Each structure stands twice: as structure tokens, then as C-alpha cells.
């Protein structure tokens, strides 16, 4: 029953004593079309659906679909979403989100018919039940419903309520591994300390664990570098220093790929925070040979930008010129690669180039770079606004743009 009266669908379901299967789609949704063309027409899918449900589908942007979307939008995280609805009270019994292959769709819906529904598991969980069997069933239903935020909370709450050594249970460790992303957590420290035991005793893939450990640590180090670059507030810096000390204890002595580079980044950032330009210049120069840090995307450029902005314009002009040349060469390469097409991911370091040339006394080049920065930023805004279509977010994007341009113009005395 496609885009038919909702009352008619409910009446039919009540009369036949069956649940409603509702396919929520839109005309522009590719995966929705995939379901309609490749999944629903298959005999085994049609036989299963038609023998167990009253089936209907609605375009959520037309006719009664608009009303139904408003009614059920909290249960529709994206398209396609397939809802199993009790016609008696119009409550959601079960849901499947996203393009789903025939056998997987039938299995997920059969779970619903067997009482293994998201609603049932949620009710048991909220009543305080915490058996491992329930946690696994609830997580499986959340996967089908594409509710990863709730799944993460459920897994975290469960594992973090258990003794640390419960992570020596392979099933529990594998359940928790996708959420091993907080380098400051006691669970992270435990896994790091017992990495060899986990590998050999539980036969866990060491590469997978190390990748997760490295990713979480990299995020934590990046936060410290970014925050200490952006803020000078004493309390904020003290907090970052405390967090840094915790990270250093974890980094030192741990045989995890990438930890050496992360330790080096913290050491270099410490020198930068002390404001010792000559020492920072010396270690960055040495690192060209040592290659202790290889992050040309953010870390090194951040250090170069710091030198350009903070080296003394009277006594350390050569240092400013050296790092300005590096940044200019990087921008030239990015411009050549973009071939005139500026997107959200095109390098735009023209703001720091403008500041560098201004500090060297070349006002003409400085203003030319500032104009280039403005030009690139405006082109990137087009892509940013395509990603965030609501007016409030677009207004915030515009405000951020104006603030950055005003700040740059103020730094180089440009009206």
C-alpha cells in the first residue's frame, strides 16, 4: 500500500490482526531505490513480508508521509528506515535502518516477530537488567536500528561497571574494543599494560588493538597541541599540563606503533609552550633529519605558523623568513594540485602568509595574501553550506568567516 490513507492501513492491520511494516523513503534517496528495486521484489522477501505484516510505504516528504514523519521522526535517523508498528496504539515495535540485504532483512524482522525487539530490550534495560545476554541482544537490535550512540553508552556503562580484569574475557574485550577511544580511561591503561597477555592468551589481533590505542592517543595529543596553541589562559594551560603528564606516563615504555612520534610531538610542543624560539627552531631543524615527527598535514605546519607569528621581527627575521618560505612552498603545491578548483579540502594558509609578509615589512604581499585568503574562504563556504543546510548553522558559518577575516585584517593593519 504505497502512500495510501494511514487510516486504511491501520484498519486493514487491525482487521487481519497483523503488525504494520512501513518503509519510510524519499524520492532522492539512493539506498531507498536500491531496496525497492533489488530487495522487496525478491520472492522470499515478498513472501515473508506479506505473510507476516500489512505492508505500506510512504514518501516522507509528500502527502500523509509528511504527517507520519512528524509523528515518528525520533525513530527515523535516516533513509531508508523500516518500522514495525503496532496498529492498536501506533507504537514502534521494531525498526531496521539503512539498505539491508534480503537475508539480513528477513532475519532482523524475524527477531522482531520472536519478541527480540528493540522496544523489549530497551524496557528490560531501563528496568535495571544487566545480564550479558541482554546486553548482546540489545546491542544487536541497536545495530539494526542504526543507533550507535545508544549502543556506545550501553557498552561503556556495562564494561565500566565491571572489574578491570573482566577485559581478559575475550567476548567482553571484543564488545568494548570499538569504544576504546579515551586515552585517560582506566580501561585504556589496563589494555595498554596487558597488551602482550591479550595478544597471546586471548589470541586477539594485536594490530587491531594497537590501531585503536594509537588512534585514541593521537586524538589526546592533538587536543593538547591545539588547545595550547589557541589559548593562553593559565587555568586552561595548567589543565593541559596535567593531562599531558598522564599521557607521557602511558607513552613512555609502551611498545605501540606510533607512540614514539606522539611522545616527540609533546616534547616539541613543550619547547613551544616555553616560548624558546631558538630552541624550537633548532629542534625543528634537527627533526628534518631525525624524522621523529612526520605529520606534514597539521603538527609541523602548526609549529611553522607559530614561528612565523611569534619570532621577534627585529632580531629573528631570518627565522620568520625560513618558515614563511616553507609555508609558501606548501601553498604553491596545493594551488597547483587544485588546478583552480577550490573546495573544502583545499589548503588555505594565505592567512599565515599574510601575517608573515606583514611582519617582514612587505605590506603589498601581505594584503595580496589576505585577499587570497578571503577569496579561498568564500569558495570553501559554498561546500560548508551544502553540508549544513539549516539556517542557524549557516549563520554560524558566516559569523565565523567574518570573525576570521576581521581578525586577520586587524593583525596586518588592513582596513
Amino acid at each position: 500500500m504505497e502512500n495510501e490513507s494511514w487510516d486504511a492501513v491501520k484498519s486493514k492491520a487491525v482487521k487481519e490482526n497483523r503488525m504494520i511494516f512501513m518503509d519510510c523513503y524519499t524520492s532522492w534517496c539512493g539506498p531507498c531505490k536500491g531496496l525497492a528495486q533489488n530487495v522487496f521484489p525478491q520472492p522470499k522477501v515478498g513472501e515473508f513480508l506479506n505473510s507476516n505484516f500489512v505492508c505500506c510505504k510512504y514518501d516522507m516528504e509528500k502527502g500523509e508521509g509528511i504527517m507520519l514523519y512528524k509523528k515518528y521522526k525520533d525513530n527515523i535517523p535516516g533513509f531508508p528506515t523500516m518500522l514495525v508498528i503496532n496498529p492498536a496504539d501506533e507504537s514502534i515495535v521494531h525498526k531496521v535502518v539503512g539498505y539491508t540485504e534480503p537475508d539480513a532483512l528477513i532475519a532482523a524482522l524475524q527477531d522482531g516477530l520472536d519478541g527480540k525487539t528493540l522496544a523489549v530490550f530497551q524496557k528490560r534495560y531501563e528496568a535495571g537488567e544487566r545480564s550479558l545476554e541482554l546486553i548482546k541482544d540489545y546491542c544487536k537490535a541497536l545495530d539494526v536500528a542504526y543507533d550507535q550512540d545508544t549502543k556506545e553508552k550501553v557498552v561503556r556503562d556495562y564494561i565500566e561497571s565491571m572489574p578491570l580484569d573482566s577485559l581478559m574475557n575475550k567476548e567482553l574485550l571484543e564488545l568494548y574494543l570499538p569504544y576504546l577511544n579515551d586515552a585517560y580511561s582506566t580501561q585504556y591503561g589496563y589494555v595498554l599494560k596487558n597488551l602482550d597477555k591479550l595478544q597471546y592468551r586471548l589470541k586477539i589481533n594485536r594490530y587491531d588493538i594497537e590501531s585503536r590505542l594509537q588512534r585514541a592517543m593521537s586524538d589526546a595529543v592533538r587536543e593538547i597541541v591545539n588547545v595550547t596553541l589557541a589559548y593562553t589562559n593559565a587555568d586552561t594551560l595548567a589543565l593541559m599540563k596535567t593531562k599531558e603528564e598522564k599521557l607521557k606516563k602511558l607513552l613512555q615504555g609502551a611498545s605501540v606503533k606510533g607512540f614514539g612520534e606522539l611522545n616527540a610531538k609533546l616534547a616539541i610542543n613543550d619547547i613551544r609552550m616555553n616560548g624558546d624560539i631558538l630552541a624550537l627552531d633548532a629542534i625543528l631543524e634537527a627533526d628534518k633529519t631525525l624524522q621523529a615527527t612526520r605529520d606534514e598535514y597539521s603538527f609541523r605546519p602548526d609549529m611553522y605558523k607559530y614561528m612565523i607569528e611569534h619570532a621577534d621581527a627585529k632580531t629573528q627575521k631570518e627565522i620568520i623568513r625560513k618558515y614563511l618560505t616553507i609555508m609558501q612552498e606548501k601553498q604553491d603545491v596545493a594551488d597547483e594540485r587544485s588546478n583552480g578548483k577550490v573546495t573544502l579540502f583545499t589548503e588555505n594558509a594565505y592567512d599565515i602568509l599574510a601575517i608573515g609578509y606583514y611582519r617582514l615589512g612587505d605590506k603589498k604581499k601581505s594584503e595580496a595574501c589576505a585577499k587570497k585568503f578571503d577569496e579561498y574562504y568564500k569558495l570553501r563556504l559554498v561546500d560548508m553550506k551544502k553540508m549544513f543546510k539549516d539556517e542557524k548553522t549557516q549563520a554560524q558559518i558566516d559569523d565565523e568567516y567574518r570573525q576570521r577575516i576581521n581578525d586577520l585584517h586587524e593583525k596586518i593593519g588592513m582596513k
Side-chain angles (χ1 to χ4, degrees):
M1 303 173 72
E2 184 167 5
N3 294 312
E4 294 191 25
S5 162
W6 178 237
D7 287 336
V9 172
K10 287 189 295 179
S11 296
K12 181 176 173 64
V14 169
K15 183 178 179 180
E16 298 179 7
N17 193 29
R18 288 194 284 173
M19 294 288 181
I20 297 169
F21 172 86
M22 183 166 75
D23 172 29
C24 307
Y25 73 96
T26 65
S27 61
W28 46 264
C29 167
C32 300
K33 294 174 183 176
L35 280 177
Q37 294 169 4
N38 305 322
V39 178
F40 295 146
Q42 291 203 20
K44 61 182 176 182
V45 176
E47 182 181 348
F48 177 82
L49 290 175
N50 291 323
S51 61
N52 289 288
F53 305 98
V54 167
C55 300
C56 61
K57 60 188 300 183
Y58 289 91
D59 185 330
M60 295 285 107
E61 297 179 335
K62 295 177 183 177
E64 291 209 357
I66 297 173
M67 175 273 292
L68 289 167
Y69 179 72
K70 289 179 180 177
K71 183 179 182 69
Y72 294 117
K73 65 180 179 180
D74 289 343
N75 287 284
I76 304 175
F79 301 107
T81 290
M82 291 157 277
L83 302 176
V84 176
I85 300 170
N86 185 335
D89 59 8
E90 301 182 56
S91 62
I92 302 294
V93 175
H94 200 43
K95 66 178 176 181
V96 181
V97 179
Y99 180 88
T100 310
E101 294 292 348
D103 290 340
L105 177 59
I106 291 171
L109 293 173
Q110 185 62 58
D111 280 346
L113 292 173
D114 293 341
K116 298 178 182 179
T117 69
L118 180 60
V120 168
F121 296 138
Q122 183 177 357
K123 187 174 181 180
R124 288 168 59 188
Y125 184 83
E126 290 176 350
E129 184 180 341
R130 290 296 184 273
S131 66
L132 179 56
E133 183 182 4
L134 170 64
I135 296 299
K136 290 192 295 184
D137 285 341
Y138 190 17
C139 287
K140 181 181 175 183
L142 288 166
D143 276 334
V144 171
Y146 207 70
D147 189 349
Q148 294 302 311
D149 289 342
T150 302
K151 181 184 176 184
E152 179 174 353
K153 186 177 186 309
V154 168
V155 172
R156 281 188 179 283
D157 288 348
Y158 179 72
I159 296 296
E160 290 169 10
S161 70
M162 305 280 283
L164 273 177
D165 60 6
S166 65
L167 289 171
M168 280 295 171
N169 178 302
K170 186 174 183 179
E171 190 173 29
L172 294 182
L173 179 63
E174 289 180 338
L175 183 67
Y176 188 64
L177 270 182
Y179 311 109
L180 189 68
N181 51 22
D182 179 5
Y184 302 103
S185 72
T186 53
Q187 287 75 22
Y188 182 96
Y190 181 84
V191 170
L192 181 62
K193 183 179 178 180
N194 293 280
L195 194 52
D196 289 338
K197 289 182 182 178
L198 295 171
Q199 178 185 3
Y200 296 111
R201 188 181 299 178
L202 303 186
K203 308 299 181 185
I204 296 289
N205 185 318
R206 186 181 181 110
Y207 175 80
D208 185 37
I209 302 181
E210 284 200 13
S211 295
R212 295 181 187 281
L213 291 169
Q214 197 274 342
R215 196 177 304 125
M217 183 62 73
S218 181
D219 288 342
V221 169
R222 188 181 303 113
E223 180 206 23
I224 288 173
V225 174
N226 289 346
V227 171
T228 56
L229 277 166
Y231 299 96
T232 56
N233 177 274
D235 290 339
T236 301
L237 295 180
L239 174 62
M240 289 300 109
K241 194 66 180 174
T242 300
K243 295 177 84 168
E244 180 188 46
E245 292 307 315
K246 291 181 180 178
L247 296 185
K248 283 181 176 178
K249 287 179 182 178
L250 294 171
L251 285 166
Q252 291 164 3
S255 56
V256 174
K257 185 178 180 180
F259 270 27
E261 179 173 2
L262 294 173
N263 208 11
K265 285 181 177 180
L266 288 178
I268 293 172
N269 193 56
D270 281 344
I271 294 172
R272 181 198 62 75
M273 287 179 66
N274 290 334
D276 191 336
I277 296 295
L278 293 178
L280 182 57
D281 175 45
I283 199 166
L284 289 175
E285 193 65 40
D287 198 34
K288 290 180 182 178
T289 302
L290 296 173
Q291 292 288 297
T293 63
R294 295 165 291 171
D295 183 0
E296 288 293 349
Y297 179 72
S298 61
F299 181 75
R300 283 190 180 184
D302 282 341
M303 296 300 111
Y304 301 157
K305 291 175 185 178
Y306 179 86
M307 300 292 273
I308 291 168
E309 278 205 75
H310 294 89
D312 190 288
K314 291 182 179 178
T315 62
Q316 297 172 333
K317 241 176 187 176
E318 286 308 309
I319 290 178
I320 297 174
R321 187 172 285 110
K322 175 166 68 174
Y323 293 104
L324 183 61
T325 299
I326 293 173
M327 292 302 294
Q328 181 69 70
E329 289 172 352
K330 281 175 61 65
Q331 185 63 57
D332 290 343
V333 171
D335 288 348
E336 187 176 342
R337 285 177 180 166
S338 70
N339 198 25
K341 184 175 175 57
V342 178
T343 69
L344 185 60
F345 304 103
T346 303
E347 177 78 21
N348 185 12
Y350 280 107
D351 54 341
I352 198 65
L353 295 178
I355 292 169
Y357 286 120
Y358 176 77
R359 300 199 72 217
L360 290 177
D362 193 335
K363 191 173 182 182
K364 186 175 179 182
K365 264 192 176 181
S366 175
E367 292 192 355
C369 287
K371 289 176 181 176
K372 201 76 173 174
F373 177 75
D374 190 5
E375 175 191 333
Y376 273 36
Y377 207 124
K378 283 178 179 176
L379 290 170
R380 292 173 71 177
L381 283 181
V382 175
D383 285 342
M384 290 174 72
K385 288 184 177 181
K386 285 179 182 176
M387 293 174 62
F388 305 100
K389 294 184 179 180
D390 65 283
E391 292 182 4
K392 185 177 180 181
T393 305
Q394 289 192 351
Q396 291 173 344
I397 291 171
D398 284 333
D399 287 344
E400 181 182 325
Y401 156 70
R402 281 190 290 270
Q403 186 64 50
R404 287 197 65 176
I405 293 299
N406 290 339
D407 287 349
L408 176 58
H409 288 184
E410 186 178 340
K411 285 180 179 178
I412 64 174
M414 183 176 173
K415 295 181 180 179

